[in-house]
Amino acid sequence: MEMILNENDLVVGAQFENGTIQDYIDERKTYGLVRIEEDTANWFLFNKQESDDELQELYKNILKEEHFIQDDFGEEIVVFNKQGSRNFDEFIKKIDAYLNDEMGSIF
């Protein structure tokens, strides 16, 4: 996975063999996009105690739609607005790999 940096050398996404992942695609910087070939899904990290009000509201609205949540010890990876035939697990695997690579590059 090759990290994508912004003008300040901060990680804002990554490219991998058959797709990309971005941290934020909306003006409010609340959710990102993961693309695997032609299939896409939006995603964000959520923590019930630490997420701001805007993210709390988005989370509450997402629960009413088709979504997938993976709980990683209190921090949840939320995937929603899936377009295409891939299942949620494939998107979660890419997001997990990205987050693990991103954390590894910090240390």
Side-chain angles (χ1 to χ4, degrees):
M1 197 170 281
E2 181 181 330
M3 296 298 162
I4 299 170
L5 306 175
N6 68 8
E7 62 277 354
N8 298 320
D9 290 332
L10 298 173
V11 174
V12 294
Q15 286 184 303
F16 46 88
E17 181 180 322
N18 58 346
T20 59
I21 188 167
Q22 295 170 266
D23 287 345
Y24 302 112
I25 61 165
D26 65 319
E27 288 182 19
R28 297 178 182 165
K29 296 189 177 194
T30 51
Y31 61 88
L33 176 77
V34 59
R35 180 184 59 79
I36 305 171
E37 293 175 349
E38 299 302 317
D39 298 345
T40 62
N42 294 114
W43 72 282
F44 62 92
L45 296 177
F46 179 78
N47 182 300
K48 182 105 175 116
Q49 283 73 39
E50 297 177 13
S51 293
D52 64 22
D53 291 342
E54 194 170 315
L55 210 51
Q56 297 277 351
E57 187 65 28
L58 176 61
Y59 184 83
K60 188 169 49 172
N61 290 333
I62 294 302
L63 294 179
K64 299 172 189 172
E65 304 172 5
E66 181 185 16
H67 66 279
F68 183 86
I69 298 173
Q70 177 175 300
D71 190 341
D72 288 340
F73 309 103
E75 183 159 68
E76 299 175 353
I77 300 172
V78 181
V79 181
F80 66 104
N81 196 26
K82 182 176 75 69
Q83 304 291 315
S85 60
R86 292 183 193 278
N87 61 39
F88 282 107
D89 288 335
E90 292 181 65
F91 291 106
I92 287 289
K93 286 178 187 175
K94 291 299 182 184
I95 295 166
D96 267 340
Y98 169 65
L99 294 172
N100 289 334
D101 280 358
E102 187 177 18
M103 292 306 288
S105 68
I106 292 172
F107 300 110

